[in-house]
Amino acid sequence: MKLKTTAEHLVSLLAAHGVEYLFLNPGTDTAPVQEAVYSLAEAGLPAPTVLLSTFESVSLAAAHAYWNMTGRPQAVFVHVDAGTQNLGAMVHNVLRGRAGVIVIAGKTPYGEDDGPSGGRNRPIQWQQDVPDQPGIVRGYAKWIQEITRPEMLDRAIGRAVQVAASSPAGMAYLTVSRDVLMDPPRLDHSRVSGFAVPVPAAADKGAVTRIATALAGAEAPVLVTSRAGRTAEGFAAVEALADLAGLPVTGRLETGLVNISSRHPSNLPNQAAAAAAISAADVVLVVESDVPWLPGTVTLRADAQVFHVDPDPAKASMPLWSYPVDLAVQADGPAALAAIAAELKAIAGARPEAAKRMADRAARLRDGAAGRPRQEPPAGPLTPLGVMSALNQVIDPEDIVIEEAVTNAPAVYEGLERTRPGTLTGSTGPGLGWALGGSLGVKLARPDRRVIAVTGDGSFLFGVPTSALTMAAEWETPFLTVILNNKGYRASRLPVYGLFPDGVSARRKTAVGTRFTSAPDYPALAAACHARGERVERAEDLVPALRRALAALDAGQAALVECVIEQD
Ligand SMILES: Cc1ncc(C[n+]2csc(CCOP(=O)(O)OP(=O)(O)O)c2C)c(N)n1
Ligand SMILES: [Mg+2]
């Protein structure tokens, strides 16, 4: 088949660059793309699978989660400026989560004709002509390009994939107008090769030696990481270094990933333990963490040495970032950890006293390990930790949990067993409403696994649940949502008490704008969207309810379990 339109060329190029999914919310701008998908299919030519998105933020979270699972960027097609605006806070999560994603937005046509060239023929196409459509995402996108001519398309798509996937990964934002999409394609010099994604940087040899030497000589070192476990190799490298150096590991401050098994003796299960370990440390190794500790909870030792390894240790996207760092190393975290472990092994081989010190530390960690999470009473009112105990009883080690539990995130980290890489993921960003779309993306990437979102009730509502659950049915990507329903925004109430301990709100034991007095009937909402829903109020009822929900998942239906929790 000879390609007829630039839209056909666009869709072909996405497939040629390995984009498997095109999350599409169509509008007048996308007609050539919609036609291209069918025409390529009829000609037997490859195209990404198109999945209908009924809300843009949900599909962007899905693409972000797909990246978390695979390291492969997917494409989200949105309708001009309005669709771009509906990407909402998920754009921020992509930035902070360093997720490689491609967003393509239509742009209103340049031409003013009513003919076949795709020009303007509806009033909205003048209204859509805004001065700075990419400005909507400018503070967050890694790279922005407007496709103004058919002959630039191959480079625009090649660059988009290349830039999105290169470390630190991020969003490539493209705009393309309907009349350009209708133009005949320029295939004469079109190429898909030569857009190499840079190999992640290895750490400088001298820096690796300095860090390994410091760890070998340290009295109380600690490893702080938020993302080193993002790959199976990184997870293995964290555990290998922890075993070798007898290092406590903290990676629990930012919402996110499992970096070390919750059963590993080095795992620091909560923020208090993390803050204590960092305050006591003479060597602090920070690997891929944006917020290694809260200054208000940690006082570094005067003699502490801080090493910082990150693909972007300068944190250029954060105007104020002033953690004290003695040696900053620009490198891929997982690779650097493996190199540090290899160097440390060599040092241990050459210096028996260092080997003994590290082995003693590892033994002390094993002796002092908290062991399995605290078990909650099996009956009575539900508590967040009780929900985790119940989940531990019913989910498999390979099931994948998405965490958006906000003030109950510590209960997830402390109470939920996650022992394998990639089995806990999240937005690692500040925009709530990620978990439902994220679950869709995880399920697409890992169709063989069960996917379980643990969310606050507020976060569930931010996730556009009617769209997300409908999309789960449409895409055949069922997931289970466990709502920790404390009837509102606890995270927005506690700071009022914190800043005004003797204030009116604290005295009234409530704060404006934080209580849901007319919350939805969550199981009914689920039922309206093809999902199985259940409400649970007592601990003894939760395990059977979760089992019923998981059975629905196994039968291909999304499920929701609302856990009613009384919290201040
Ligand atoms: C998109 C977005 N809007 C608003 C906020 C501010 N915010 C942070 S936490 C929170 C409340 C979350 O409520 P819920 O998920 O029920 O968790 P809880 O605080 O009850 O633990 C809000 C509104 C945000 N982070 N993201
Ligand atoms: Mg809540």
Side-chain angles (χ1 to χ4, degrees):
M1 165 194 172
K2 191 172 169 314
L3 300 183
K4 296 179 296 298
T5 63
T6 295
E8 287 178 345
H9 192 199
L10 170 80
V11 177
S12 305
L13 283 167
L14 289 173
H17 281 285
V19 173
E20 295 137 286
Y21 291 102
L22 180 62
F23 303 100
L24 173 71
N25 184 267
T28 44
D29 49 344
T30 51
V33 172
Q34 292 163 277
E35 179 63 15
V37 171
Y38 275 163
S39 64
L40 292 171
E42 290 215 344
L45 294 175
T49 300
V50 176
L51 293 174
L52 165 60
S53 163
T54 53
F55 205 88
E56 294 84 347
S57 63
V58 180
S59 40
L60 183 56
H64 178 162
Y66 197 93
W67 167 269
N68 284 3
M69 291 292 120
T70 64
R72 297 197 295 272
Q74 305 303 307
V76 181
F77 207 119
V78 299
H79 175 62
V80 294
D81 58 330
T84 303
Q85 284 164 326
N86 271 4
L87 295 168
M90 301 307 111
V91 168
H92 195 167
N93 292 340
V94 164
L95 170 71
R96 294 294 173 231
R98 297 179 173 179
V101 298
I102 299 161
V103 174
I104 310 174
K107 182 174 162 41
T108 204
Y110 300 106
E112 298 185 5
D113 69 74
D114 198 12
S117 68
R120 300 179 185 192
N121 56 1
R122 286 193 167 70
I124 51 165
Q125 288 160 331
W126 279 265
Q127 296 170 329
Q128 286 161 354
D129 201 355
V130 295
D132 187 13
Q133 182 178 320
I136 299 166
V137 296
R138 202 180 301 286
Y140 304 90
K142 187 174 172 191
W143 176 89
I144 290 172
Q145 175 75 275
E146 182 173 346
I147 301 167
T148 49
R149 297 173 67 88
E151 62 266 37
M152 66 190 284
L153 189 71
D154 62 332
R155 284 164 292 155
I157 301 298
R159 292 277 291 137
V161 177
Q162 181 182 46
V163 175
S166 67
S167 182
M171 178 197 287
Y173 180 83
L174 293 155
T175 58
V176 60
S177 75
R178 185 170 74 170
D179 36 12
V180 171
L181 288 169
M182 287 299 289
D183 278 342
R186 287 287 298 273
L187 304 168
D188 27 358
H189 298 292
S190 177
R191 69 177 165 97
V192 289
S193 61
F195 296 98
V197 175
V199 175
D204 171 76
K205 182 82 184 68
V208 167
T209 306
R210 216 176 123 185
I211 295 170
T213 306
L215 288 173
E219 163 205 311
V222 64
L223 169 62
V224 181
T225 185
S226 303
R227 268 194 285 265
R230 62 189 154 80
T231 62
E233 297 74 31
F235 188 91
V238 169
E239 293 202 339
L241 187 66
D243 290 337
L244 189 63
L247 269 178
V249 177
T250 170
R252 293 290 189 249
L253 199 54
E254 298 158 49
T255 297
L257 319 177
V258 57
N259 293 299
I260 186 168
S261 165
S262 53
R263 288 209 200 154
H264 194 285
S266 286
N267 178 44
L268 293 167
N270 55 43
Q271 289 186 22
I278 298 167
S279 297
D282 55 347
V283 172
V284 181
L285 174 56
V286 178
V287 177
E288 297 203 10
S289 181
D290 287 346
V291 189
W293 62 83
L294 290 178
T297 64
V298 164
T299 308
L300 283 184
R301 275 169 55 159
D303 65 343
Q305 296 183 76
V306 178
F307 300 102
H308 181 207
V309 180
D310 196 283
D312 173 23
K315 310 284 185 206
S317 69
M318 293 182 177
L320 287 182
W321 194 95
S322 52
Y323 284 87
V325 172
D326 297 296
L327 177 67
V329 186
Q330 187 164 28
D332 176 66
L337 279 170
I340 293 165
E343 181 71 18
L344 205 53
K345 214 172 225 168
I347 294 174
R351 288 176 33 201
E353 91 292 348
K356 180 167 182 330
R357 189 176 322 112
M358 294 194 285
D360 287 349
R361 276 204 308 257
R364 275 199 302 279
L365 283 171
R366 277 195 301 276
D367 293 345
R372 293 174 66 89
R374 183 153 56 90
Q375 292 301 301
E376 284 290 287
L382 273 176
T383 64
L385 273 174
V387 175
M388 302 310 136
S389 300
L391 280 168
N392 287 334
Q393 292 172 53
V394 299
I395 67 175
D396 292 334
E398 288 292 338
D399 289 346
I400 303 173
V401 177
I402 289 94
E403 181 268 311
E404 195 164 57
V406 195
T407 62
N408 291 311
V412 178
Y413 291 125
E414 202 158 345
L416 189 71
E417 291 205 28
R418 291 289 82 196
T419 56
R420 307 210 178 146
T423 60
L424 179 71
T425 195
S427 72
T428 58
L432 294 178
W434 191 90
L436 307 184
S439 299
L440 294 170
V442 170
K443 186 65 184 171
L444 276 179
R446 295 273 184 274
D448 53 322
R449 309 278 190 92
R450 292 195 298 202
V451 177
I452 298 140
V454 178
T455 76
D457 51 332
S459 298
F460 176 79
L461 292 177
F462 280 126
V464 199
T466 45
S467 277
L469 291 172
T470 308
M471 284 150 79
E474 190 89 31
W475 301 3
E476 299 179 2
T477 47
F479 62 91
L480 165 62
T481 308
V482 176
I483 302 181
L484 304 176
N485 182 7
N486 56 12
K487 304 193 182 85
Y489 295 152
R490 186 164 172 253
S492 314
R493 186 160 54 244
L494 298 183
V496 184
Y497 303 161
L499 289 178
F500 303 96
D502 304 317
V504 183
S505 307
R507 176 160 49 75
R508 292 188 180 191
K509 295 191 171 28
T510 194
V512 292
T514 66
R515 304 251 181 217
F516 297 171
T517 48
S518 305
D521 177 338
Y522 295 103
L525 184 156
C529 302
H530 315 284
R532 182 186 193 286
E534 227 181 298
R535 176 178 302 114
V536 177
E537 301 193 2
R538 304 207 34 100
E540 58 271 32
D541 299 330
L542 186 54
V543 166
L546 288 171
R547 286 198 206 285
R548 288 189 287 273
L550 291 172
L553 275 201
D554 294 343
Q557 186 188 21
L560 176 154
V561 174
E562 174 195 352
C563 300
V564 178
I565 293 168
E566 294 302 329
Q567 286 185 309
D568 288 345

